[in-house]
Amino acid sequence: MVKETIVSGFNNAPHRSLYHALGLTKEELDRPLIGIVSSYNEIVPGHMNLDKITQAVKTGVAMAGGTPIVFPAIAVCDGIAMGHTGMKYSLVTRDLIADSTEAMVMAHGFDGLVMIPNCDKNVPGLLMASARLNIPTVFVSGGPMLAGRVGGKKTSLSSMFEAVGAYAAGKIDEEKLTEFEEKACPSCGSCSGMYTANSMNCLTEVLGMGLQGNGTVPAPYSARIELAKHAGMQIMDLVKKNIKPRDIMTEAAIRNAVTADMALGCSTNSMLHLPAIANECGIDFDLDMVNEISEKTPNLCHLAPAGPTYMEDLNEAGGVYAVLRQLEEAGLIDSSVMTCTGKTMHENIANAVNLAETVIRPLSNPYSKTGGIAVLRGNLAPDGCVVKRSAVAPEMLKHEGPAKVFESEEEAIDAIYGGKIKAGDVVVIRYEGPAGGPGMREMLNPTSAIQGMGLGSSVALITDGRFSGATRGASIGHCSPEAANGGPIAYVKDGDLISIDIPSYKIELKVSDEELAKRREEMPIKKKEHISGYLKRYAAMVSSADKGAIINRL
């Protein structure tokens, strides 16, 4: 694209003069120009090392005969944004990242791209951009954080949030809380469990857009620098062969990603991001496909918050490729798909071995015969809602209890810490959806408070908002349609019985159709006031969660 539109010919002499103003030589302009989208910043722990990753990618591109040119992408730290207005600005950045990357590439023209993301919305935003732009692209993330250590046990950010709940319940003292604060997050990188960032970086490998180890090699390891150099070299091969993202992210690749998601026990946020990525690829993503795949895909991994293992353990066990190899052996994935290596998935994973069956269970001994995520439907969520069932206590897979209804996350947190939530309750948090929030805030604070106060095996939570990948327990999100769009969740009252049956994929509000119709007449939909700027535009254009909370193009 560059040679035809920007660099070549007498009429592009003005453009070349501006490249010379950058200090680029004629020799550099004669080579393929590779855009390097760096998400480096100094506020997100998962991004503080991306300057080194970026430099390594530049080295790799130059080694392979290309000219690397860096431009930035934004990223929000969900952990820092959690529990306040800042969380309204998390999910919405996914579309800002995709749109701004599209703008930069189309305005300047590149022969290929290397995407360097790491955290929650940054990864899917750049995957969306790569599908939309459809020029040769490879991904290399910043890598996961190392696990912390408190009291001789590995910890992570979810441990930190739950420690706050334990402190509020009087189960730990201030000294222990401070120890968690200082030791839970010990290094740079995306938080150390199978949270959203690591889920999406692992699924980038499965989609075929990242090299082996992209999702699991820890951020502080020198192997991450080597991986970045290889990504820089590999983009030159993709440019030469003209292998593009939509050649790689096919319908089969999307199904592979859902299958691996089930085996790995990924974040429920993947059920927002995979539909959005599929949409950019022109592929229909039906939520019912999730349960179909889940029914036949065993859950092989219980990484934090579901269990005691962490991303560094998955890396040592053989990483994503070891999981894919087992899924291939079971006939659960289509390994004929093309990848950014220029080879098929089958070729990539042929020699992969599971080196630790305590981390990646064999097919003969899974954590469960069904996958890590379930989509529930019923009169409370006609268009579906999502739960990470691999992180649900066995006794909560089926639950019925009275609703305790809250109009915002803040109200719910006050009630939980105030001791107003009792065993058996079903906490309902509404008006936190994509449009109603706006921004569909993550609910790690209330879910962690429930766990920390010892209610994780007796209290469920349902919301039209979403959860951090660090959430565990019977936490059911993405309730669609959302309250702001007149979904049934808007008409739940305190004391209504709610029945949850995860194995049967059902969720029911024990209220008659006649009573619901009456409430629709009597209970007006609440409107958010004082919304301005980007959030106002986002709320007006965003789709429901079951469609991936995508921006509806006019």
Side-chain angles (χ1 to χ4, degrees):
M1 182 166 67
V2 172
K3 296 298 181 292
E4 292 79 10
T5 60
I6 294 179
V7 175
S8 301
F10 75 92
N11 56 316
N12 284 323
H15 302 84
R16 290 195 295 275
S17 72
L18 291 170
Y19 280 113
H20 288 306
L22 292 169
L24 294 177
T25 65
K26 181 180 181 302
E27 290 79 6
E28 287 173 302
L29 294 179
D30 286 339
R31 300 172 181 174
L33 298 187
I34 305 300
I36 300 176
V37 188
S38 174
S39 304
Y40 168 74
N41 63 51
E42 295 183 343
I43 188 61
V44 183
H47 292 229
M48 63 179 287
N49 65 320
L50 296 191
D51 55 342
K52 295 177 177 63
I53 301 297
T54 300
Q55 187 56 51
V57 170
K58 289 178 67 177
T59 298
V61 169
M63 287 168 63
T67 298
I69 300 177
V70 179
F71 64 89
I74 64 168
V76 164
C77 177
D78 278 27
I80 294 175
M82 196 71 65
H84 58 89
T85 301
M87 183 45 70
K88 294 178 184 289
Y89 288 88
S90 171
L91 180 59
V92 304
T93 64
R94 188 186 69 183
D95 293 274
L96 282 174
I97 290 162
D99 291 350
S100 59
T101 302
E102 175 192 357
M104 287 295 289
V105 173
M106 296 305 294
H108 301 103
F110 295 96
D111 294 294
L113 298 169
V114 180
M115 305 292 199
I116 309 177
N118 210 30
C119 287
D120 296 34
K121 313 311 163 300
N122 188 238
V123 182
L126 290 178
L127 283 166
M128 290 163 66
S130 68
R132 190 184 304 173
L133 291 161
N134 203 34
I135 64 173
T137 303
V138 66
F139 276 66
V140 57
S141 76
M145 183 184 291
L146 294 172
R149 299 288 194 283
V150 175
K153 295 182 178 180
K154 288 185 177 181
T155 60
S156 60
L157 185 64
S158 56
S159 309
M160 179 68 253
F161 274 90
E162 290 178 17
V164 174
Y167 176 77
K171 295 184 176 183
I172 63 171
D173 59 19
E174 187 174 355
E175 183 178 359
K176 177 59 73 173
L177 180 66
T178 300
E179 184 181 4
F180 271 98
E181 178 183 334
E182 293 175 348
K183 296 180 179 180
C185 300
S187 75
C188 63
S190 48
C191 296
S192 56
M194 187 56 82
Y195 309 150
T196 305
N198 292 325
S199 294
M200 293 310 301
N201 281 322
C202 287
L203 295 183
T204 298
E205 280 191 61
V206 182
L207 286 168
M209 294 297 292
L211 301 179
Q212 181 179 11
N214 179 73
T216 59
V217 174
Y221 285 14
S222 297
R224 177 61 58 175
I225 300 296
E226 294 180 29
L227 181 65
K229 290 177 183 176
H230 283 127
M233 289 186 273
Q234 185 57 31
I235 188 58
M236 299 304 296
D237 186 57
L238 293 178
V239 169
K240 180 180 178 181
K241 294 177 179 176
N242 199 30
I243 298 174
K244 300 175 182 179
R246 278 183 249 158
D247 299 326
I248 295 171
M249 291 192 287
T250 60
E251 185 173 353
I254 296 291
R255 289 184 65 89
N256 286 344
V258 175
T259 302
D261 188 315
M262 296 301 165
L264 287 163
C266 292
S267 163
T268 52
N269 279 317
S270 64
M271 294 299 105
L272 289 174
H273 301 323
L274 287 176
I277 294 162
N279 177 68
E280 295 289 354
C281 294
I283 297 167
D284 181 54
F285 189 103
D286 184 354
L287 270 183
D288 289 332
M289 170 183 67
V290 174
N291 288 345
E292 171 217 326
I293 291 175
S294 179
E295 277 295 314
K296 58 187 180 184
T297 306
N299 178 226
L300 304 178
C301 300
H302 263 195
L303 285 85
T309 53
Y310 294 80
M311 295 306 296
E312 61 198 60
D313 302 312
L314 179 59
N315 186 63
E316 295 301 319
V320 173
Y321 277 22
V323 175
L324 291 176
R325 182 76 176 109
Q326 293 193 176
L327 296 175
E328 182 188 46
E329 289 174 353
L332 294 172
I333 58 172
D334 180 349
S335 59
S336 69
V337 293
M338 178 54 61
T339 72
C340 68
T341 65
K343 301 176 181 178
T344 65
M345 179 186 287
H346 173 73
E347 292 174 293
N348 289 343
I349 67 176
N351 297 318
V353 177
N354 182 0
L355 300 174
E357 292 188 351
T358 56
V359 180
I360 306 171
R361 285 198 174 182
L363 291 165
S364 59
N365 182 34
Y367 283 101
S368 65
K369 293 181 179 180
T370 52
I373 289 178
V375 174
L376 314 183
R377 291 186 189 271
N379 67 342
L380 184 57
D383 294 336
C385 54
V386 178
V387 62
K388 186 174 182 176
R389 66 172 156 191
S390 60
V392 177
E395 58 268 37
M396 289 298 291
L397 290 171
K398 292 185 178 182
H399 178 77
E400 185 173 300
K404 293 287 183 68
V405 183
F406 304 96
E407 309 297 318
S408 69
E409 177 186 7
E410 288 82 359
E411 287 185 17
I413 291 171
D414 288 344
I416 295 166
Y417 285 142
K420 297 177 181 178
I421 304 302
K422 307 300 182 185
D425 286 345
V426 178
V427 176
V428 177
I429 306 176
R430 62 192 179 197
Y431 292 103
E432 291 286 6
M440 203 178 184
R441 288 192 289 178
E442 287 185 343
M443 303 288 172
L444 182 56
N445 275 359
T447 59
S448 297
I450 288 169
Q451 294 292 334
M453 296 186 76
L455 297 170
S457 60
S458 60
V459 170
L461 189 152
I462 300 170
T463 180
D464 53 6
R466 62 193 179 93
F467 300 111
S468 164
T471 286
R472 63 189 176 104
S475 303
I476 301 166
H478 309 189
C479 193
S480 300
E482 63 176 291
N485 290 337
I489 193 173
Y491 307 109
V492 181
K493 290 185 176 181
D494 281 340
D496 286 347
L497 286 179
I498 294 176
S499 173
I500 300 162
D501 187 343
I502 295 173
S504 297
Y505 307 113
K506 292 180 180 178
I507 185 165
E508 295 291 333
L509 175 64
K510 298 290 188 173
V511 170
S512 69
D513 292 343
E514 292 76 15
E515 174 63 18
L516 269 179
K518 181 182 177 183
R519 292 182 186 182
R520 284 191 175 93
E521 295 293 327
E522 297 175 347
M523 298 172 65
I525 298 298
K526 292 180 170 58
K527 301 295 182 183
K528 290 284 185 180
E529 298 178 357
H530 311 301
I531 303 173
S532 61
Y534 180 56
L535 288 183
K536 186 174 183 179
R537 285 182 280 130
Y538 182 87
M541 298 178 69
V542 70
S543 79
S544 61
D546 63 293
K547 301 298 183 186
I550 60 173
I551 295 295
N552 292 310
R553 307 287 174 189
L554 299 178

